[in-house]
């Protein structure tokens, strides 16, 4: 069984190789860029942003695994073999790291850290920048999947008033539930800090746009750790400039890396992080994917299987 890996540089590949040797010794792990790999031997791939049309060149491919939680970078391949199982990464480690990030971002908006950082650069000492208290602040998490559900629970643990919005009803202790398009307006109207943790699909592309932002209360904040294309950048910037939004913490962009001339970099109300919200260790990810492949080989179910009907 051969697994072809495309994720990170040559050094990263050595790490992947060592981790798979530990968790799946029977698996032959080869580098995506290795010219000596016989395409007919490749049964599994684990990839991040594979170049288009390459996946279709493996005649005996049985499964496509994403090296991360998102699969939009694979679905964009026009010749992706659609009959193959496509698996995204779902680990407790990644959910926890996302929860850590979202809590940090929400607390940063709550405590007016973007303004405090601007003040620091100017050696300002504005004692009025005290911010609010978590129990007085309503956070709304869009997407209650592997990332959103854990983040919502952790935010509730910090004392925020937390609600979640997703496709189907959920019962998460301490989290008010909003479901589907019918509940979106009510969800937005009660949300002081909006967190986007949706998958990128045709229905969610551009969901944070002028029309939805306008439904948030004045002075609200936005956190995006889903995908860059969830946000219409010009609309977000206009809302920050008009004062309707107080701040934003953004981890994902379209395109990435965020171009040097992009207005986000210098915007006084924006904190930019370089797509680092939840980057699981290679060892943990390899252990998880080795487990997925083993379950697949045994004909058992496994987490993270892409559902083409739902689109995520
Ligand atoms: P999941 O597939 O586990 O969860 C998706 C959630 O979104 C589900 O709750 C789903 O509803 C909901 N949803 C999907 N479409 C809609 C819709 N049209 N309307 C309302 N709700 C919808 O995804 P993950 O939690 O694994 O990932 C979430 C996002 O986080 C992805 O965009 C991923 O790429 C990103 N991510 C970013 C990282 C980073 O470092 N910045 C790291 C990891 C992930 P339902 O529950 O009803 O199905």
């Amino acid at each position: 069984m051969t697994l072809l890996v495309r994720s990170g540089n040559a050094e990263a590949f050595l790490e992947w190789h060592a981790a798979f040797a530990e968790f799946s010794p029977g698996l032959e792990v080869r580098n995506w860029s290795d010219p000596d790999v016989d395409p007919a031997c490749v049964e599994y791939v684990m990839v991040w942003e594979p170049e288009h049309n390459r996946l279709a060149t493996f005649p005996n491919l049985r499964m496509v695994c994403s090296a991360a939680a998102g699969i939009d970078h694979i679905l964009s391949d026009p010749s992706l073999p659609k009959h193959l199982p496509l698996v995204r990464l779902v680990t407790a480690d990644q959910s926890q790291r996302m929860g850590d990030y979202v809590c940090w971002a929400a607390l940063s908006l709550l405590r007016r850290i973007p303004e405090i950082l601007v003040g620091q650069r100017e050696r300002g000492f504005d004692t009025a920048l005290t911010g609010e208290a978590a129990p007085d602040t309503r956070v709304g998490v869009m997407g209650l999947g592997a990332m959103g559900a854990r983040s919502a629970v952790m935010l509730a643990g910090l004392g925020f008033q937390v609600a979640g919005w997703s496709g189907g009803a959920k019962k998460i202790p301490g989290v008010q539930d909003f479901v589907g398009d019918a509940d979106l307006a009510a969800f937005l109207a009660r949300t002081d800090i909006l967190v986007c943790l949706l998958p990128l699909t045709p229905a969610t592309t551009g969901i944070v746009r002028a029309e939805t932002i306008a439904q948030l209360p004045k002075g609200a904040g936005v956190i995006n750790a889903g995908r860059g294309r969830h946000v219409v950048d010009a609309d977000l910037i206009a809302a920050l400039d008009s004062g309707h939004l107080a701040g934003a913490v953004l981890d994902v962009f379209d395109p990435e890396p965020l171009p040097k001339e992009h207005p986000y970099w210098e915007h006084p109300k924006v904190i930019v992080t370089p797509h680092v919200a939840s980057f699981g260790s290679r060892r943990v990810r390899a252990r998880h994917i080795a487990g997925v492949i083993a379950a697949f080989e045994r004909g058992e179910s496994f987490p993270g299987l892409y559902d083409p009907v739902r689109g995520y």
Side-chain angles (χ1 to χ4, degrees):
M1 276 194 307
T2 296
L3 169 75
L4 208 56
V5 170
R6 180 195 153 90
S7 177
N9 57 16
E11 209 176 307
F13 177 72
L14 294 179
E15 236 184 280
W16 286 119
H17 196 278
F20 278 109
E22 181 182 353
F23 298 116
S24 186
L27 202 59
E28 187 179 345
V29 179
R30 305 287 293 270
N31 197 331
W32 180 265
S33 60
D34 182 343
D36 297 328
V37 172
D38 175 2
C41 291
V42 177
E43 288 180 71
Y44 297 98
V45 295
M46 185 199 72
V47 289
W48 172 252
E49 296 184 342
E51 63 264 27
H52 288 176
N53 304 322
R54 177 95 187 269
L55 291 170
T57 65
F58 305 119
N60 298 313
L61 189 59
R62 298 172 64 204
M63 178 187 269
V64 178
C65 299
S66 173
I71 45 169
D72 45 300
H73 59 106
I74 299 171
L75 288 169
S76 61
D77 181 346
S79 65
L80 174 71
K82 299 256 179 344
H83 62 285
L84 295 176
L86 172 58
V87 186
R88 67 197 171 78
L89 206 81
V90 184
T91 68
D93 173 61
Q94 271 211 305
S95 302
Q96 175 65 34
R97 285 169 188 250
M98 182 59 83
D100 292 348
Y101 178 92
V102 169
C103 288
W104 161 79
L107 290 171
S108 296
L109 292 175
L110 181 74
R111 300 304 295 262
R112 303 177 68 173
I113 295 300
E115 289 158 274
I116 287 174
L117 289 177
V118 169
Q120 181 180 346
R121 283 194 285 273
E122 292 162 1
R123 302 183 185 220
F125 202 83
D126 184 352
T127 55
L129 294 174
T130 51
E132 303 297 329
D136 300 329
T137 305
R138 301 162 298 175
V139 182
V141 181
M142 301 176 104
L144 289 174
M147 301 295 143
R150 180 75 188 133
S151 299
V153 167
M154 290 174 69
L155 287 161
L158 286 172
F160 285 107
Q161 297 174 42
V162 184
W165 179 73
S166 65
K170 305 280 179 306
K171 278 203 180 87
I172 303 176
V175 178
Q176 194 184 353
D177 198 28
F178 291 84
V179 180
D181 292 344
D183 279 359
L184 182 58
F187 167 79
L188 293 170
R190 55 73 64 202
T191 290
D192 301 313
I193 298 178
L194 181 70
V195 181
C196 179
L197 284 171
L198 291 163
L200 189 68
T201 68
T204 66
T205 299
I207 193 160
V208 182
R209 58 180 181 274
E211 181 194 345
T212 39
I213 293 170
Q215 295 174 65
L216 295 169
K218 184 170 164 51
V222 169
I223 298 166
N224 185 22
R227 283 290 178 262
R229 287 174 59 207
H230 284 131
V231 171
V232 177
D233 293 336
D235 293 0
L236 183 70
I237 290 169
L240 290 164
D241 290 344
S242 75
H244 182 66
L245 289 181
V249 179
L250 308 172
D251 186 55
V252 285
F253 307 92
D254 179 40
E256 291 183 3
L258 182 65
K260 297 272 187 240
E261 65 282 3
H262 200 286
Y264 283 150
W265 286 115
E266 294 288 332
H267 201 290
K269 293 181 176 175
V270 176
I271 295 179
V272 168
T273 58
H275 201 146
V276 291
S278 175
F279 190 78
S281 81
R282 294 196 176 95
R283 190 168 176 276
V284 170
R285 287 186 282 161
R287 182 176 64 198
H288 176 78
I289 289 170
V292 164
I293 292 173
F296 178 68
E297 287 282 334
R298 292 192 300 266
E300 295 169 4
S301 62
F302 47 83
L305 183 63
Y306 167 69
D307 178 345
V309 175
R310 288 190 319 173
Y312 59 93

